[in-house]
């Protein structure tokens, strides 16, 4: 039973088959091949964005920091949450690639438009002395599994655009959010005012696939140079492109996400019936449940792999802590039941 | 009437005379001259630190970021307060020179040892994913004019050293703190566990003088290379050195600081008598007073130059805001009285 | 007929099968899985280096710049050739990751020990003013297809170590060099004084596989942090590790390299018989031949894909230019013959 | 007798008097004061550039690297000579501030337009793989004391502008070049196609004064942010501004430069009469003379302070080496005669 993360499961067989199909004859390297063109075309179609510039990289951190460094100047600050991946989990990659400071907008989990407005205002009282206002970065779904509604996205991008600040979406779990909202990729991005997306596939059944989508291609050339200078341009590019072609073909991406979300729901309901308190009923594929440290230890000893959330491993057995359960495309209803038996 | 900052007053005549005395014949450049040696010797004597490595630079930001980048690795985070100069007023210089993230320790103004301990603990739950623990940076006196007692400094450095983290002191107003505590430079620094100090002179009557003092000279060579690479090595070095020789001769530095602190006290008491609420009775040379926006406007129109603190210029006339008054070596009791007449 | 580069061919079927075998069940991410351990063990065995620290990344540029930035300080200069990949083909990645300057050692293609000695001496006449001496980076085989003998490697590393400078080997075509020398991996690396190797697999039949090998593991932790901060740590790490396990199993890597080298030899001999002048008889998998621009155009129109070397596409038809032909694991004797028919 | 450098002499008394005159009352800090405005106005007048943006910094390295980083992107290469200060004497400051590579245009000392054209062409054969073409940086007078004629400057800027590359002039010895050419500041800069100048005063009698002049103010705001982020914005700014006001008043700058150039001429003629071979008859304030190492040692023992140029201190006594003699505003005809007696 494995709920540690959605990057610990296997890859969808369809994705590996796509690699095999792509594996014949010679092809130009560094993205000049036909499959890369197909991948870009398919993304443009799915996002209804015929002019978008699309780039593929191997890690979500690379997608985030290359996108944000292209959107900002080194003397600017990026507005995000205290839980955001760019702040918590990238070992100062954004400070390295972009040179930026991160300004943590107050609030629990999702960014609140009023808090954002206030924080942006605060960042303009010191002329050249303080960091200048920069991009806003939103994670959909958030690191705590929450889902921004389309209205919430509209309100946030409206605040940012009032100050002419671009908005980046960290979409490491883009598909999970999309099926939860039941809207179109365009609805959740450019139609909602998002300027650039990190569109993730790795956490949803791909081998290694992250795309950066610029709806305004004005930064395209700069991004290509930043990607190369960051040593993130893959030489045998057809093999990352083949993943995208397959990922978006016949809705593989949506099927994977739907299963992950459904399993999280099944898990959450089971936990509630077992009288666990949830931080929230999951909209996507992550469940956060409170439990005593004793229960946490017992489950681990029973062979369940999962992480705590902002809590210490060590401490009093009776203390209540929060555990994170992540479901991916691969997990089955039976496995969830098996786990629920256990508790 | 000028209370905007202690970098807007003139330079002590003694300092300019020292430049004139230094201005004869040829001398080796880049710090190989005799006056630079005298300056270093004098700092070592005053700080009772015979092995200390001492470097002179032209700005306080340079002193801070060069010192901190030498104390840290780019993947580390620096612990400081939300008000600290390195966070608020250096336009991402530390993110540039050091590549670091800044972790803002919760609390109002001064760092609290418990909050520091908790924040350091929090920064170690994600292996290589999160920023690593780095130096602690303390401002003495703080940007809000508060003074750390020797006991408070001991407690903070004790927490940092428990985790083998070095401690930097931003001493832009070092002398003002020193005369307020009435202790020795050694007491307030290495004897209290401080590893490196930015020892400022510019805000206390010098033309342009900031020293970085490493009590452990192990980083000396690295610092010299960082200073040069940062384009902060002055060629006609004898002239910045001459300021330090004079600054520390016959306690010029203490006399200047004592006047500034006394004037702030005089100002604070006058404001209280006039029924202004102070954030605190000043220990050093800065006074923070609450007033209505109307009063603020009236004083400005009457020709008083001073800044607001974390407050907006625009807003309702009756709203209470906080104003900052800074006194320097140059301001006289008569000027304070004149201002107090005004209110 | 495709001689553009050894990153344009397909992937060895064995490598893709290895991915499929690795694709079952859950596994820890970020390199904590069993396959990663197997990969590291296999590299240590093949290199007779039980203490070596081994890291896997997706691009050769990442391997080079992460390795060199860990070996150097930002104020140091790296000694390499004017043709080296880190200078010519990484879009200032080393200036970005390491902050270093590159000092181009004079000479044609391979570094000459005397020239290296002279250049190192020259970099030490200006105290802190000039860049400081840093690592030496050697490419084996070179970008011009040349092979360093073991004696040549010994002489170069001897010069570097006299000055306590570490030596890095860019081994993008490591296996091609190895089979050409007919020595062991240990002979060509640590036994010859190499401190760190970028051990490439991508250009020799892998999907995407580059390893950085530190024979002295002292920099291991720093490298892990640099890799993460550079956004180069792969989440589904088992799939890059599986490539290494397979690559080194039953000498797949040597078989691929032997074919590539043999094809280059076959091609070179055919070109000579057709009265083309070669820059040199190839020792590994790259052939450089002089031809008129007219011939170059004719071959391109006949469907041969290959690049010029330091020559312009445009120019007089009769001018003699140099063409580069690269052979990879996939090319067959028949394809070479077919090409030779053409000329 | 001191010929080590033009940064080892004293400061012109007029400059120190200007500091004293500026030293009264309070004044806004960070360049918002009246004297800073006067300084900018005076520079605009002298350069006949009413729209120019002018910034003052404390070191020549800061002027160069801040100017060039504002003119370039991190993935670009800067064209300069192997002797240029930005390459030889700034400890990788440009790699730090700009992230750039430096491309060394072949040739001895001055850049030759044909060589520049060829080198620029060479930097465009690898798409995103190689560094992109960036600014051209010219030193007037060069580090070897040579003077570009106005025609030579026109030819060089013409080549750069053909490729839309901006041109920077490192004018650490601007005034020495100006009086040698006998032209106007405008003639030697924007009228000759120079886009940005590092206009130095420190080497010509100032305490510490370097200006960056953008003839096109489009980069003004970016430069201000880069200067602050580089920790190069001086707080008591009136005192650096006062130097510029005085430096350009009543041609102090030209008088200082004329003396330095005349002394170099006197020195050169004396050396020739004493049968020393000069690299060239000096046009400005630096003389390069060949001599045996024995003579060099004898002169040093006789108390003459001067440096070798690209030559080693140690070596055979009879070997011919090159010595550099720099004259500044302060050196007298009598001192030159005294030295000439010695040889």
């Amino acid at each position: 039973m494995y709920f540690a993360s959605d990057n610990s499961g296997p890859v969808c067989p369809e994705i590996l088959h796509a690699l095999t199909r792509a594996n014949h004859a010679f092809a130009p390297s560094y993205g000049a091949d036909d499959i890369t063109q197909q991948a870009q075309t398919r993304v443009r179609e799915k996002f209804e964005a015929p002019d978008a510039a699309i780039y593929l990289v191997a890690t979500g951190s690379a997608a985030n920091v290359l996108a944000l460094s292209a959107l900002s100047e080194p003397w600017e600050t990026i507005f995000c949450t205290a839980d955001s991946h760019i702040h918590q989990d990238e070992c100062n990659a954004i400070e390295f690639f972009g040179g930026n400071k991160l300004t943590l907008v107050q609030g629990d989990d999702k960014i609140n438009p009023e808090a954002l407005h206030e924080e942006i205002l605060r960042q303009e009282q010191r002329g050249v002395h303080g960091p200048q206002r920069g991009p806003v970065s939103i994670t959909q779904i958030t690191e705590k599994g929450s889902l921004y509604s389309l209205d919430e996205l509209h309100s946030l991008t409206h605040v940012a655009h009032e100050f002419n600040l671009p908005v980046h979406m960290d979409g490491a779990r883009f598909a999970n959010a999309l099926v939860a909202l039941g809207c179109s990729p365009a609805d959740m991005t450019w139609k909602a005012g998002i300027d650039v997306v990190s569109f993730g596939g790795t956490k949803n059944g791909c081998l290694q696939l992250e795309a950066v989508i610029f709806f305004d291609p004005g930064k395209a050339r700069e991004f290509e140079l930043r990607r190369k200078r960051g040593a993130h341009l893959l030489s045998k590019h057809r093999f990352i492109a083949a993943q995208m072609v397959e990922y978006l073909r016949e809705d593989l991406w949506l099927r994977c996400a739907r299963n992950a979300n459904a399993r999280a729901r099944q898990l959450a309901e089971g936990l509630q019936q077992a009288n666990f308190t949830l931080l929230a009923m999951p909209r996507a594929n992550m469940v956060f449940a409170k439990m005593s440290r004793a229960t946490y230890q017992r489950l681990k000893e029973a062979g369940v792999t999962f992480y705590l959330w902002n809590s210490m491993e060590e401490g009093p057995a009776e203390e209540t802590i929060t555990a994170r359960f992540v479901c991916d495309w691969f997990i089955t209803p039976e496995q969830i039941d098996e786990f629920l038996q256990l508790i």
Side-chain angles (χ1 to χ4, degrees), chain A residues 158-228:
Chain A
H158 178 72
V159 171
H161 292 163
E162 274 186 309
F163 294 95
N164 297 310
L165 304 179
V167 183
H168 164 258
M169 175 181 280
D170 178 349
R173 298 184 173 95
F174 190 93
N176 303 93
L178 196 68
V179 298
L181 284 179
C183 67
S184 76
D187 291 333
M188 199 170 85
T189 56
W190 63 269
K191 287 184 178 175
I194 301 296
D195 299 288
V196 177
V197 184
S198 299
F199 173 41
T202 313
K203 283 181 154 61
N204 191 35
C206 293
L207 172 58
Q208 180 184 87
L209 173 65
E210 307 290 325
V212 176
I213 307 174
F214 286 84
F215 296 109
D216 170 350
K219 293 276 194 179
R221 176 70 176 171
E222 174 176 339
F223 187 90
E224 288 183 37
L225 290 159
R226 288 185 177 277
R227 178 178 58 171
K228 174 66 189 177

Side-chain angles (χ1 to χ4, degrees), chain A residues 57 59-72 78 85-87 89-100 102 135 137 168-170 196-198 212 214 222-223 226-227 229-230 232:
Chain A
V57 292
T59 73
S61 294
N64 286 340
V65 298
L66 289 171
L68 282 165
S69 60
L71 285 180
S72 66
I78 295 168
H85 197 271
I86 57 174
H87 179 62
D89 294 300
E90 298 181 0
C91 198
N92 297 359
I94 189 61
E95 288 84 357
F96 174 43
F97 281 79
N100 312 97
L102 300 182
S137 183
H168 164 258
M169 175 181 280
D170 178 349
V196 177
V197 184
S198 299
V212 176
F214 286 84
E222 174 176 339
F223 187 90
R226 288 185 177 277
R227 178 178 58 171
R229 179 165 164 267
H232 283 288

Side-chain angles (χ1 to χ4, degrees), chain A residues 14-319:
Chain A
E14 293 89 334
I15 296 291
L16 283 189
H17 295 147
L19 295 189
T20 309
R21 282 200 304 281
N23 193 40
H24 63 85
F26 291 96
S29 45
Y30 299 115
D33 61 286
D34 298 342
I35 300 176
T36 297
Q37 280 203 18
Q38 291 170 40
Q40 292 166 330
T41 303
R42 195 152 287 184
V43 172
R44 291 192 185 97
E45 288 165 1
K46 290 283 185 185
F47 282 79
E48 304 165 55
D51 301 330
I54 291 115
Y55 301 104
L56 307 179
V57 292
T59 73
S61 294
N64 286 340
V65 298
L66 289 171
L68 282 165
S69 60
L71 285 180
S72 66
E73 295 289 350
W75 40 83
E76 292 177 353
T77 192
I78 295 168
F79 298 91
C80 60
T81 70
D83 284 330
S84 60
H85 197 271
I86 57 174
H87 179 62
Q88 291 281 0
D89 294 300
E90 298 181 0
C91 198
N92 297 359
I94 189 61
E95 288 84 357
F96 174 43
F97 281 79
N100 312 97
K101 186 185 291 298
L102 300 182
T103 294
L104 307 181
V105 181
Q106 294 306 311
D108 178 29
D109 196 8
K110 289 198 284 186
I111 298 183
N112 167 293
E114 290 66 37
L116 176 61
H117 189 273
E118 191 181 309
E119 196 57 59
I120 293 174
L121 277 181
R122 189 175 293 121
Q123 295 299 320
E124 192 82 337
Q125 300 177 36
R126 290 180 305 279
V128 301
H129 297 276
Q132 306 297 297
R133 296 163 173 171
V136 175
S137 183
I138 300 171
T139 310
Q140 172 79 315
I141 62 170
T142 74
E143 294 76 9
K144 272 171 95 170
S146 306
L147 182 69
Y148 285 97
S149 70
L150 294 187
D151 285 350
E152 289 171 323
L153 292 176
H154 277 277
S155 319
L156 284 170
T157 60
H158 178 72
V159 171
H161 292 163
E162 274 186 309
F163 294 95
N164 297 310
L165 304 179
V167 183
H168 164 258
M169 175 181 280
D170 178 349
R173 298 184 173 95
F174 190 93
N176 303 93
L178 196 68
V179 298
L181 284 179
C183 67
S184 76
D187 291 333
M188 199 170 85
T189 56
W190 63 269
K191 287 184 178 175
I194 301 296
D195 299 288
V196 177
V197 184
S198 299
F199 173 41
T202 313
K203 283 181 154 61
N204 191 35
C206 293
L207 172 58
Q208 180 184 87
L209 173 65
E210 307 290 325
V212 176
I213 307 174
F214 286 84
F215 296 109
D216 170 350
K219 293 276 194 179
R221 176 70 176 171
E222 174 176 339
F223 187 90
E224 288 183 37
L225 290 159
R226 288 185 177 277
R227 178 178 58 171
K228 174 66 189 177
R229 179 165 164 267
H232 283 288
L233 175 58
L234 297 170
S235 59
K236 294 184 174 176
H237 200 274
R238 59 171 140 171
F239 296 105
I240 190 169
Q243 296 178 59
M244 182 61 85
V245 173
E246 183 65 25
Y247 186 58
L248 298 185
R249 199 169 62 82
E250 291 175 4
D251 297 344
L252 172 62
W253 63 316
L254 304 181
R255 279 187 282 117
C256 289
R258 284 197 193 96
N259 178 71
N261 291 7
R263 296 290 74 70
R265 180 98 191 170
Q266 176 188 0
L267 175 62
E269 288 166 353
L271 284 164
Q272 276 190 323
Q273 283 159 28
N275 298 318
F276 283 89
T277 307
L278 307 180
L279 293 201
M281 179 53 61
R283 299 290 308 276
N285 69 322
M286 296 198 288
V287 181
F288 294 76
K290 294 179 177 299
M291 59 181 63
S292 71
R293 192 172 270 107
T295 308
Y296 167 68
Q297 289 303 345
R298 185 170 61 72
L299 289 171
K300 280 184 66 177
E301 282 147 20
V304 187
T305 306
F306 63 117
Y307 290 130
L308 292 180
W309 179 258
N310 292 340
S311 310
M312 306 279 184
E313 289 273 329
E314 292 71 32
E318 67 285 6
E319 189 182 352

